[in-house]
Amino acid sequence: MDLFRKKSISAMMQQAQTGTALKRTLGTWDLTLLGLGAIIGTGIFVLTGTGAVTAGPGIMISFLISGLACALTALCYAEFATLVPVSGSVYTFAYATLGELIAWIIGWDLILEYLLAVSLVSAGWSGYLQSLLQGLGISLPTALTAAHGAVPGVETWFNLPAFAVVIVITFFVARGVKESARVNNIMVLIKTAVVILFVIVGIGYVKPDNWHNFMPFGLEGVFSAAAITFTAFLGFDAVVAAAEETKNPAKDLPRGIMYSLFICILLYIVVSAIMTGIVPFAEFEGVAHPVSLALQYAGQDWVAGFIDLGAIVGMLTVMLVMLFGQTRIAFAMSRDGLLPSVFSKVHPKFQTPYRATWIIGSVAALLGGIVPLDRLAEMINIGTLTAFVLISLGVIVLRKTQPELPRKFRTPAVPFVPLMSMAVCIFLMTNLSASTWYAFLIWLTIGLSIYFLYSRKRSHLNG
């Protein structure tokens, strides 16, 4: 049964105080903005249009469903994050409650989620940047504008802007969490202001008649859109990855998680309501910039330009936070012996896992530069939903097996809330395509092979 051996919470806390510990510098404000930095980005600037095509104005309900699913899971996250305030997010929590094999599987899933998220967003960011530059009369060589085969009928070879932006972000993350947080905070304030500007300007152009056919594809369309728009809320779990770098985890982590999540739920619903109120939902088909399209439709081109700029800034913060979360998970897995020790080397000055940051950042940059990843986008969702199911299950298991542990934040109504979280996440997973499930199983098979051939023997629990 060594496949399900567990790492004790006391051992985790002791390890977090050793020479491989990270520096605690983040407060509630930093964590809230870290969450907003990850959540407000591709979702609000791209997925609002994709969801509207699938659900019509009912996209508002879709965002509410996917947001509440995240909120249920966030309550479970908050209990674990305050109980085990060390780096590694759900991987660390699974190690304490469900055992090493399950922890490895979820850590492997999170690698897929965060790595692909950085690469995918970098490609989207590149498109917005090129659109802005073209408006200024500046064009890049066609061969360097996209990955090979990404644009039908156009000879492209490498997405230079996507590659370059990830390298720059990697530099900031490697320098230190406080430096990354400062950059993130500034960009979050800018893009939040841009979204509020859209609401203020756009609300005057809403035509209620566009909402009359509220759910043109019925509940099936609403649920399908909820499975797609779930990606929009990814990022609040990256706040938990910063547990070991939080000043007061018991107070700051639950607040940072819930504040960022509920602010974003409100913004998504309001923005999608205004968008579908201005533009008939069918006209968002194939549109990659739905928010600015709504303003163009209203004749407010000057505001649309600000929205495009906000999208560029917004995607920068998503990449920063996702890369931050990925490196901390790899750091935790390496510190446990499941990944090579290079991933847990801490810089003597910056106190960050700098080698892991540069390795992962370079891979993400190359993927964004050479691989068209649009067909893999749903895999980000399936990996995350799997993680959410396991963290909800972990709360129930730990309440039963170790009820005496001092919990500074307690998930309310256990086991009802965790079971509801699991049920909603599993339901959303069933709405993903069969090809996504096949690709996920292939990724899982690769991960299990690595575990049995390498990680199981080198685990520090192997003794």
Side-chain angles (χ1 to χ4, degrees):
M1 295 297 291
D2 64 334
L3 293 178
F4 299 99
R5 55 197 175 194
K6 300 179 180 65
K7 188 174 181 182
S8 72
I9 292 176
S10 59
M12 291 181 181
M13 295 300 295
Q14 183 178 1
Q15 188 178 46
Q17 305 301 321
T18 67
T20 58
L22 302 175
K23 189 176 181 180
R24 295 190 181 275
T25 59
L26 303 178
T28 298
W29 177 243
D30 294 313
L31 293 172
T32 301
L33 291 179
L34 202 64
L36 293 176
I39 300 171
I40 301 177
T42 309
I44 203 164
F45 294 114
V46 178
L47 290 180
T48 43
T50 305
V53 172
T54 306
I59 183 64
M60 291 178 265
I61 299 176
S62 301
F63 274 123
L64 183 62
I65 292 171
S66 53
L68 290 178
C70 287
L72 290 171
T73 309
L75 292 171
C76 300
Y77 262 92
E79 176 169 327
F80 268 111
T82 55
L83 187 63
V84 194
V86 298
S87 192
S89 186
V90 67
Y91 156 77
T92 300
F93 311 149
Y95 214 158
T97 58
L98 304 174
E100 185 174 278
L101 178 60
I102 302 299
W104 167 265
I105 291 173
I106 205 58
W108 187 246
D109 288 347
L110 290 174
I111 288 173
L112 177 69
E113 172 197 342
Y114 285 105
L115 190 65
L116 288 183
V118 174
S119 302
L120 282 167
V121 176
S122 72
W125 181 91
S126 173
Y128 270 97
L129 177 68
Q130 291 176 55
S131 176
L132 184 65
L133 291 176
Q134 287 171 3
L136 299 174
I138 302 172
S139 298
L140 295 175
T142 303
L144 300 178
T145 58
H148 181 59
V151 183
V154 180
E155 191 71 13
T156 57
W157 290 96
F158 188 75
N159 195 329
L160 182 60
F163 175 82
V165 71
V166 177
I167 293 297
V168 172
I169 287 173
T170 300
F171 170 78
F172 281 105
V173 175
R175 289 278 296 180
V177 63
K178 193 62 180 178
E179 288 73 15
S180 301
R182 286 180 184 138
V183 174
N184 176 73
N185 292 353
I186 294 170
M187 291 190 290
V188 167
L189 292 175
I190 292 172
K191 69 179 179 180
T192 302
V194 167
V195 172
I196 293 172
L197 175 65
F198 167 77
V199 172
I200 293 172
V201 174
I203 196 168
Y205 295 91
V206 168
K207 297 178 181 178
D209 288 347
N210 288 331
W211 293 334
H212 284 174
N213 190 11
F214 192 74
M215 293 191 296
F217 308 107
L219 286 175
E220 183 179 352
V222 170
F223 291 144
S224 296
I228 296 170
T229 58
F230 184 81
T231 306
F233 293 101
L234 300 187
F236 85 84
D237 54 333
V239 174
V240 182
E244 195 170 324
E245 291 151 284
T246 302
K247 295 176 183 176
N248 187 348
K251 179 185 72 173
D252 297 333
L253 280 171
R255 291 179 179 177
I257 293 169
M258 302 308 294
Y259 289 173
S260 60
L261 186 56
F262 281 108
I263 288 172
C264 289
I265 291 175
L266 178 61
L267 286 176
Y268 277 125
I269 292 175
V270 171
V271 167
S272 59
I274 293 174
M275 282 174 45
T276 55
I278 297 174
V279 182
F281 72 89
E283 296 193 26
F284 288 114
E285 180 74 43
V287 175
H289 52 96
V291 180
S292 58
L293 173 69
L295 290 171
Q296 292 167 359
Y297 204 87
Q300 297 294 320
D301 291 341
W302 68 275
V303 184
F306 279 107
I307 295 297
D308 287 339
L309 183 60
I312 291 172
V313 173
M315 291 182 183
L316 283 174
T317 62
V318 174
M319 288 183 282
L320 189 149
V321 178
M322 289 298 181
L323 181 60
F324 171 86
Q326 169 66 95
T327 57
R328 270 52 184 179
I329 291 165
F331 169 83
M333 295 176 74
S334 173
R335 194 164 60 176
D336 292 332
L338 302 184
L339 287 178
S341 60
V342 66
F343 289 96
S344 55
K345 296 293 183 183
V346 175
H347 195 283
K349 178 181 179 181
F350 303 127
Q351 291 183 272
T352 62
Y354 67 109
R355 291 183 181 175
T357 301
W358 277 108
I359 292 171
I360 293 168
S362 299
V363 172
L366 284 171
L367 288 174
I370 65 176
V371 182
L373 293 174
D374 55 309
R375 299 184 68 181
L376 296 177
E378 284 191 0
M379 287 191 66
I380 300 173
N381 277 0
I382 196 168
T384 307
L385 286 165
T386 303
F388 286 2
V389 169
L390 290 177
I391 196 62
S392 302
L393 177 62
V395 168
I396 299 174
V397 171
L398 204 60
R399 285 285 188 95
K400 183 72 174 178
T401 57
Q402 299 187 56
E404 75 287 350
L405 289 173
R407 291 167 170 83
K408 298 178 181 179
F409 177 89
R410 298 177 68 88
T411 304
V414 173
F416 176 75
V417 167
L419 288 174
M420 280 295 296
S421 171
M422 293 170 63
V424 175
C425 290
I426 292 172
F427 174 74
L428 290 176
M429 291 169 73
T430 63
N431 282 273
L432 295 172
S433 65
S435 61
T436 298
W437 279 93
Y438 294 144
F440 178 67
L441 291 175
I442 292 172
W443 177 258
L444 188 60
T445 301
I446 295 171
L448 289 173
S449 299
I450 294 174
Y451 175 76
F452 285 106
L453 295 175
Y454 175 88
S455 304
R456 183 183 178 191
K457 297 177 182 178
R458 289 168 174 80
S459 168
H460 293 168
L461 294 187
N462 202 37

